[in-house]
Amino acid sequence: MNKDKINIGYFADGPWSHLAFEKLISDQSLAIRFIVPRTDTQDDTLKNYANKYGIDYLFPEKVNSKTFLDKVNTYNCDLLVSMSFNQIFKTEIINLAPMGLINCHAGKLPFYRGRNILNWALINDEKEFGITVHYVDEGIDTGDIILQRTYQITDDDTYATLLEQAYSECATILYDAIKLLQNGNITRVKQSSIHPTGFYCGRRGAGDELIDWNQTSRRVFNFIRSICMPGPRAVTYLDGEPVFINKSRIINDVPIYMGKPGQILNKTKDGFLIKTQDTFIEIQDIQTQAIMSIGKCFKNN
């Protein structure tokens, strides 16, 4: 479909959606007709953008209700776009706009569907993460792929660095995908053609921040960097006091040897050496009321 101008309904929220909005609004061949945030939004940025550009800011309790569907119909949107939105779209709204409903997902579909994708990519020691723009269907993150790109992960990366990169790259790939749609230049890729099942990641819950010192140094290192600030930070306990750890460092060429996982082995310039299942790592950027001393051992509570 070649179209000189596309009218867009934008279902979006939070930092993921800000740069994308700026790219879309700067293109005179795209018109954002309305914005719908999450029902529990804490984000004023999109609301301020709506006021600045004279865009309707809608706040439906349920996007699949007949009342809201009737409202959306009055905008004559060509395309509906989802970016960090948290309601499940049903058939009626999926099929409402002629060009469909698309979503930007910070995961390399059909893998890494679901929640907390950047965290899981680090936990799983991936060497890259993906961002995918895909059509929305009745499943969750299962629709045909429009555009997908991958980005390198190094040992210097953390949740914070991946998040900053993803904010920027999600905006770029979403804009590029919309331009492909506008120019009628897309090839839909079925996710099953990449892998028959893919996989889902679960959302983080209470207690998932606890460090398991019976894991290898590599796994502990990945875990700590996966939930560093602005995440909740990894947590362990010493003498009943929580110890928040925001950073760790892998030490190369340490022999594998027997020892007590979680034990404080030595103090360093930047932190402490802690025994793991196989070797030891250095923990840094620590916040605690506990007295850290050599020989003590971290526990999970």
Side-chain angles (χ1 to χ4, degrees):
M1 175 186 294
N2 284 289
K3 200 162 177 61
D4 293 334
K5 188 157 190 171
I6 297 180
N7 292 319
I8 295 171
Y10 195 44
F11 297 81
D13 207 271
W16 296 92
S17 65
H18 300 163
L19 290 177
F21 176 91
E22 292 169 9
K23 278 187 173 292
L24 299 181
I25 202 68
S26 65
D27 187 329
Q28 296 301 308
S29 70
L30 307 176
I32 298 176
R33 300 298 310 281
F34 64 79
I35 298 171
V36 177
R38 296 186 180 195
T39 54
D40 60 350
T41 185
Q42 302 295 314
D43 177 26
D44 288 331
T45 301
L46 287 181
K47 186 176 183 179
N48 292 336
Y49 278 149
N51 291 334
K52 177 180 179 180
Y53 292 102
I55 299 169
D56 287 354
Y57 189 77
L58 309 180
F59 208 70
E61 183 177 346
K62 296 180 180 179
V63 295
N64 297 294
S65 68
K66 185 179 185 304
T67 300
F68 182 66
L69 293 176
D70 290 343
K71 177 72 172 177
V72 172
N73 263 323
T74 66
Y75 289 94
N76 295 314
C77 288
D78 303 294
L79 177 69
L80 302 181
V81 174
S82 170
M83 173 68 91
S84 191
F85 193 67
N86 64 345
Q87 292 192 50
I88 302 299
F89 297 102
K90 295 184 179 179
T91 303
E92 289 80 3
I93 195 166
I94 289 171
N95 296 326
L96 198 62
M99 298 176 74
L101 170 57
I102 66 172
N103 177 58
C104 186
H105 177 75
K108 190 179 177 182
L109 300 178
F111 313 104
Y112 287 96
R113 298 176 179 135
R115 303 291 296 274
N116 300 113
I117 301 307
L118 299 178
N119 312 88
W120 282 114
L122 289 167
I123 289 171
N124 290 333
D125 205 19
E126 296 285 4
K127 304 308 178 189
E128 65 179 20
F129 74 97
I131 299 176
T132 308
V133 179
H134 65 97
Y135 284 102
V136 174
D137 61 13
E138 292 180 325
I140 297 176
D141 301 329
T142 54
D144 293 353
I145 293 169
I146 299 168
L147 191 59
Q148 183 177 90
R149 292 173 183 153
T150 56
Y151 310 87
Q152 184 183 18
I153 299 175
T154 73
D155 278 3
D156 292 327
D157 281 309
T158 65
Y159 174 53
T161 65
L162 295 193
L163 195 61
E164 182 178 2
Q165 184 177 17
Y167 287 161
S168 174
E169 296 300 333
C170 277
T172 298
I173 193 173
L174 177 65
Y175 176 77
D176 290 348
I178 290 173
K179 297 305 287 185
L180 290 176
L181 285 165
Q182 185 177 33
N183 296 326
N185 190 27
I186 67 161
T187 301
R188 297 175 68 135
V189 177
K190 291 192 174 298
Q191 294 190 34
S192 59
S193 70
I194 300 172
H195 192 274
T197 63
F199 65 79
Y200 284 89
C201 295
R203 67 187 302 174
R204 194 189 70 79
D208 288 345
E209 69 280 6
L210 295 174
I211 299 171
D212 182 357
W213 295 106
N214 287 294
Q215 294 183 335
T216 65
S217 290
R218 183 74 194 175
R219 292 190 68 182
V220 173
F221 166 75
N222 285 333
F223 180 75
I224 290 172
R225 66 179 177 148
S226 76
I227 54 172
C228 72
M229 294 175 66
R233 294 174 296 176
V235 177
T236 189
Y237 282 82
L238 187 65
D239 299 331
E241 291 287 340
V243 179
F244 297 90
I245 303 170
N246 196 52
K247 184 178 181 182
S248 67
R249 180 174 69 90
I250 282 283
I251 301 171
N252 295 321
D253 301 322
V254 177
I256 295 174
Y257 70 102
M258 297 295 291
K260 187 184 293 185
Q263 189 170 45
I264 302 173
L265 303 175
N266 200 6
K267 190 177 187 318
T268 67
K269 175 178 173 290
D270 297 314
F272 295 87
L273 300 182
I274 311 298
K275 181 70 178 78
T276 63
Q277 184 270 323
D278 58 348
T279 62
F280 57 80
I281 64 170
E282 182 182 36
I283 60 171
Q284 305 172 352
D285 196 357
I286 303 159
Q287 180 183 349
T288 185
Q289 297 298 316
I291 298 174
M292 306 274 290
S293 59
I294 296 170
K296 286 187 175 183
C297 196
F298 292 125
K299 297 181 180 180
N300 283 342
N301 53 48

